[in-house]
Amino acid sequence: MSVLRPLDKLPGLNTATILLVGTEDALLQQLAEAMLKEDCTSELKVHLAKSLPLPSNVNRPRIDLIVFVVNLHSKHSLRNVEESLHHVDATFFLGKVSFLATGAGRESHCSIHRNTVMQLAHTYRSPLLFCDLEIEDFRATMAQRLVRMLQICAGHVPSVSALNLLSLLQSSENPSLEDL
Amino acid sequence: MDSYDAPESTPRQCASSGLKDYFIGATPLQKRLESVRKQTSFIPTPPRRKIPQCSQLQEDVDPQKFAFLLHKQWTLYSLTPLYKFSYTNFKEYSKLLNAFIAAEKQKGLAVEVGDDFNIKVIFSTLLGMKGTQRDPEAFLVQILSKSQLPSEHREGKVLWTGWFCCIFGDSLLETVSEDFTCLPLFLANGAETNTAIIGTWFQKTFDCYFRPLAINAFNLSWMAAMWTACKMDHYMATTEFLWSVPCSPQSLDISYAIHPEDAKALWDSVHKTPGEVTQEEVDLFMDCLYSHFHRHFKIHLSATRLVRVSTSVASAHTDGKIKILCHKYLIGVLAYLTELAIFQIE
């Protein structure tokens, strides 16, 4: 199947799966390792992909959270993410998708303006996180944050759902459609 | 309040226009609200920017006066406003700076073999180097070597040149009080040691701060688009781009040269609104170059870092080095650099 849907598979017992999509292999690998090091009551599964659609011949568990990683130094990564977004079903964007922008620390290397990524995240109504994945401490903090988000999206945290989290993360900078 | 007149249209129309506003940029009221809430100045990427035209002020000035500024490589710095700087005290400043440089050189901090201490510092104004009437006058500092022999009365060789200017610096001029002179852009040509000494003197005397102005890849691609858009009678240099590919053990450099008329033709096919340059046009222009390169070499240039852009108007390097080749667009180039300098100060 070429389009990812959030509820087309049954959930695994106490399993939470995250899919990281991005062109920066080394950074994604390091982030995945940092996430797996985290202490977590659920069993974590981290999938890495360069782009969507994912090959259909592989048997994979249900994906609870997709994080699209954009490197602000490379326009190629932004184009790649934009094209991959077409292969995600609309119902995924109800709190189960997040964007992560890396490389904002080195302003002199940036070829994408921050606002471009902010507009992308706003178009898809999903939270945007900024983190310099090259720096170990920031990566560890981001890994912690992603693990908590993943647990919520997989439904392992009682009384908080992905949609609740989405409305909490909707910052006051981007007022929702009703305010306009 | 004017912005409240907008929602008189039907709700559906209002929602769709509101959505459109959001994709282009927040409405002015929202921007103001945001900046008040955050207590910072909200500087989004300007979706439109004027193509540098010949400004009326420059036409009054003889282009020969600024000829010495062209074809030289300048290193860029951003400068915070100068406190209690006066255009009438130039003689005094020259004397003080002369003494300071002599003292520094004698201290042995900047020792060069065969250095003669007979140097002269000259401050002078650059009339006409401004965008609007509000901009403060630009001024020039030069270090000349005094000739040893008394029979030679002509001026010595110029060892170092530096000039301060402000072109269309309205956003900074509004925020600053009367005692300050805002000249956010500083350009230097000459030995690095001299730049450092003069920088120290200015920082001590006028309580300002210099910072090297780096130009990132995003701004370099804007410059490439704006300068390609400039109408030129004849092209004196090819349009050239240089990318740096980060790979180990040493980085690889990719250089891409285009005939300037082809670049202009490409720009004309991309360009829609006359007199303005938008973000989409810049992106499309660069994407055309990237996809052409990819078709031939299967390399994604968009994954590399743009390091140098060189056109017939000017050439810029990411380390903050610029060389202006065309006097017609001098003000335009400086206006953009002033904007970058102001952005760095803020």
Side-chain angles (χ1 to χ4, degrees):
Chain A
M1 64 197 112
S2 58
V3 173
L4 278 177
R5 273 176 245 276
L7 299 170
D8 58 353
K9 287 190 178 146
L10 290 174
L13 189 59
N14 205 32
T15 319
T17 313
I18 182 172
L19 173 65
L20 300 174
V21 179
T23 50
E24 312 288 318
D25 295 328
L27 293 177
L28 291 189
Q29 191 75 38
Q30 289 173 325
L31 181 61
E33 283 164 23
M35 284 183 73
L36 291 171
K37 276 199 210 125
E38 286 295 314
D39 246 342
C40 180
T41 52
S42 332
E43 191 187 310
L44 287 182
K45 289 207 167 109
V46 183
H47 285 244
L48 303 176
K50 226 179 164 68
S51 67
L52 298 175
L54 299 173
S56 49
N57 48 4
V58 177
N59 189 17
R60 70 177 66 83
R62 183 182 84 160
I63 292 174
D64 297 307
L65 175 63
I66 306 181
V67 179
F68 289 98
V69 179
V70 175
N71 187 356
L72 290 179
H73 300 179
S74 143
K75 270 201 203 147
H76 178 60
S77 67
L78 181 65
R79 293 277 170 270
N80 180 53
V81 161
E82 282 173 357
E83 274 156 39
S84 305
L85 280 165
H86 298 315
H87 298 274
V88 180
D89 187 51
T91 47
F92 237 119
F93 293 100
L94 294 170
K96 295 195 174 192
V97 169
S98 171
F99 293 90
L100 177 61
T102 179
R106 282 200 287 176
E107 177 63 32
S108 56
H109 288 235
C110 285
S111 56
I112 306 173
H113 199 277
R114 224 181 70 223
N115 272 36
T116 317
V117 189
M118 282 166 72
Q119 264 179 17
L120 178 68
H122 182 81
T123 317
Y124 286 94
R125 301 290 188 274
S126 297
L128 173 63
L129 307 165
F130 284 95
C131 172
D132 258 327
L133 290 176
E134 292 165 23
I135 300 170
E136 206 181 310
D137 294 331
F138 296 166
R139 200 168 58 225
T141 319
M142 182 51 66
Q144 269 183 352
R145 209 172 161 185
L146 287 177
V147 166
R148 298 291 162 258
M149 279 175 70
L150 176 59
Q151 283 189 298
I152 293 172
C153 292
H156 294 184
V157 177
S159 76
V160 184
S161 75
L163 210 46
N164 287 353
L165 182 63
L166 181 63
S167 45
L168 282 175
L169 284 177
Q170 202 102 51
S171 58
S172 55
E173 291 166 21
N174 302 319
S176 57
L177 200 52
E178 292 79 54
D179 293 5
L180 288 174
Chain B
M1 291 222 262
D2 51 341
S3 37
Y4 281 117
D5 293 337
E8 275 166 2
S9 47
T10 63
R12 194 197 295 171
Q13 224 178 353
C14 182
S16 63
S17 66
L19 264 177
K20 206 160 69 113
D21 272 345
Y22 236 83
F23 295 151
I24 295 174
T27 62
L29 176 63
Q30 276 164 338
K31 267 192 234 171
R32 266 180 269 150
L33 280 176
E34 264 180 76
S35 62
V36 163
R37 223 181 282 146
K38 282 195 273 185
Q39 281 154 13
T40 55
S41 52
F42 177 67
I43 307 168
T45 171
R48 288 159 208 296
R49 194 178 264 126
K50 285 214 147 34
I51 300 176
Q53 312 287 344
C54 299
S55 79
Q56 295 96 320
L57 283 166
Q58 202 185 4
E59 275 165 23
D60 300 335
V61 178
D62 183 17
Q64 291 304 317
K65 257 186 78 175
F66 297 143
F68 72 99
L69 297 173
L70 303 176
H71 301 284
K72 268 209 191 84
Q73 175 150 299
W74 301 99
T75 310
L76 296 169
Y77 294 85
S78 68
L79 178 61
T80 58
L82 302 163
Y83 184 62
K84 289 217 162 57
F85 177 81
S86 159
Y87 289 95
T88 50
N89 292 352
F90 276 175
K91 279 209 166 22
E92 200 184 306
Y93 295 153
S94 313
K95 275 194 222 135
L96 289 169
L97 188 47
N98 216 342
F100 186 78
I101 294 177
E104 288 291 322
K105 294 223 158 136
Q106 282 185 337
K107 255 194 248 177
L109 286 174
V111 176
E112 284 151 25
V113 177
D115 193 20
D116 66 332
F117 297 137
N118 292 341
I119 52 159
K120 201 165 58 153
V121 176
I122 299 185
F123 277 65
S124 50
T125 29
L126 282 170
L127 288 168
M129 182 69 69
K130 43 159 73 170
T132 62
Q133 288 299 339
R134 273 188 72 183
D135 289 332
E137 289 288 347
F139 71 96
L140 177 73
V141 180
Q142 279 178 311
I143 298 182
L144 305 166
S145 63
K146 255 195 298 200
S147 50
Q148 300 273 39
L149 305 169
S151 59
E152 294 177 12
H153 290 293
R154 51 189 170 84
E155 290 293 309
K157 202 164 59 110
V158 176
L159 296 174
W160 183 91
T161 319
W163 49 294
F164 301 73
C165 68
C166 174
I167 317 279
F168 294 112
D170 291 326
S171 56
L172 190 60
L173 292 167
E174 280 163 20
T175 57
V176 149
S177 70
E178 288 298 313
D179 292 329
F180 288 91
T181 316
C182 280
L183 291 160
L185 190 61
F186 173 58
L187 301 95
N189 171 277
E192 183 53 44
T193 50
N194 287 333
T195 314
I197 294 175
I198 292 184
T200 319
W201 185 80
F202 268 92
Q203 282 175 173
K204 270 201 227 158
T205 318
F206 301 111
D207 194 23
C208 57
Y209 187 64
F210 285 87
R211 256 181 76 190
L213 182 65
I215 310 174
N216 63 20
F218 177 75
N219 290 320
L220 281 176
S221 53
W222 263 95
M223 285 185 192
M226 287 199 301
W227 299 342
T228 311
C230 295
K231 276 201 256 295
M232 301 272 292
D233 301 322
H234 68 278
Y235 293 96
M236 48 186 120
T238 54
T239 305
E240 205 180 303
F241 297 83
L242 186 70
W243 280 273
S244 160
V245 184
C247 61
S248 56
Q250 348 161 260
S251 62
L252 180 69
D253 284 334
I254 300 177
S255 157
Y256 186 174
I258 319 169
H259 195 273
E261 275 158 31
D262 292 341
K264 182 79 165 77
L266 175 63
W267 173 256
D268 288 335
S269 63
V270 164
H271 187 50
K272 304 251 170 12
T273 43
E276 277 183 340
V277 181
T278 63
Q279 179 68 54
E280 292 86 32
E281 287 169 8
V282 175
D283 285 341
L284 194 50
F285 179 68
M286 296 305 289
D287 282 342
C288 292
L289 298 174
Y290 291 154
S291 54
H292 180 80
F293 198 84
H294 180 68
R295 206 181 313 136
H296 288 275
F297 299 103
K298 295 286 178 275
I299 294 179
H300 286 284
L301 280 176
S302 46
T304 62
R305 182 166 79 104
L306 182 57
V307 155
R308 189 164 179 271
V309 166
S310 152
T311 63
S312 298
V313 172
S315 90
H317 190 277
T318 190
D319 290 338
K321 300 210 183 345
I322 186 138
K323 195 192 275 198
I324 308 175
L325 303 169
C326 173
H327 73 269
K328 215 165 97 167
Y329 295 105
L330 178 63
I331 296 284
V333 171
L334 292 173
Y336 188 59
L337 294 173
T338 311
E339 202 181 311
L340 292 182
I342 292 177
F343 189 67
Q344 192 180 51
I345 295 172
E346 288 169 357

